[in-house]
Amino acid sequence: EGFLESTQASAVIMDERDIDVPVAVIRNPNPYLAFQRAMKILYGDLYLPPKGIHPTAVLGRNVKLGADVSIGPYVVVESGTRIGDRAIIRAGTYVGADTVIGADTQIYPNVVIRERVRIGSECIIHAGAIIGDDGFGIAKDGVENHKIPQIGTVVIGNAVEIGSNT
């Protein structure tokens, strides 16, 4: 409240308290959500890449792409992968064989998604994340170490956001 008297803003978004404000006011019971909606109206979705497949991308056999996907520079998508409508896969990402990526999912640069991973719709995976890497299982016989085959997978539901470098 103390800064309202000296603000140089043209307008403010605030809760519905009855106080004097020297500028235009948008009153809303959830000001932060109102701010988010105003930003979407004013700025839309910034930095959306063009739809289509960049010429440097490499797609394996039997890859199925939904409508209006965007696959960026130097992306590798291995065989048997399915990518849903409007999914965005940004530069330098690797997608392993037989993976499923849902509609409207955004994958930022340099993500690694290993084979047989299932990612739902409307997910966001931030730069540098690694999904489905092996679990480093080793069996020992007293002489040698024997790597245990990693036959599991990762399943991520809908509307999940995964941070950078996780």
Side-chain angles (χ1 to χ4, degrees), residues 105 120-124 157-161:
T105 287
S121 297
E122 299 179 0
C123 293
I124 299 171
N158 296 330
V160 174
E161 188 165 352

Side-chain angles (χ1 to χ4, degrees), residues 97-126:
D98 300 315
T99 291
V100 175
I101 297 171
D104 300 301
T105 287
Q106 287 200 53
I107 299 171
Y108 282 87
N110 301 314
V111 169
V112 173
I113 301 169
R114 294 288 302 268
E115 48 283 330
R116 299 181 317 279
V117 168
R118 303 291 181 258
I119 299 171
S121 297
E122 299 179 0
C123 293
I124 299 171
I125 301 176
H126 289 280

Side-chain angles (χ1 to χ4, degrees), residues 85 144 166:
D85 296 344
E144 293 183 66
T166 56

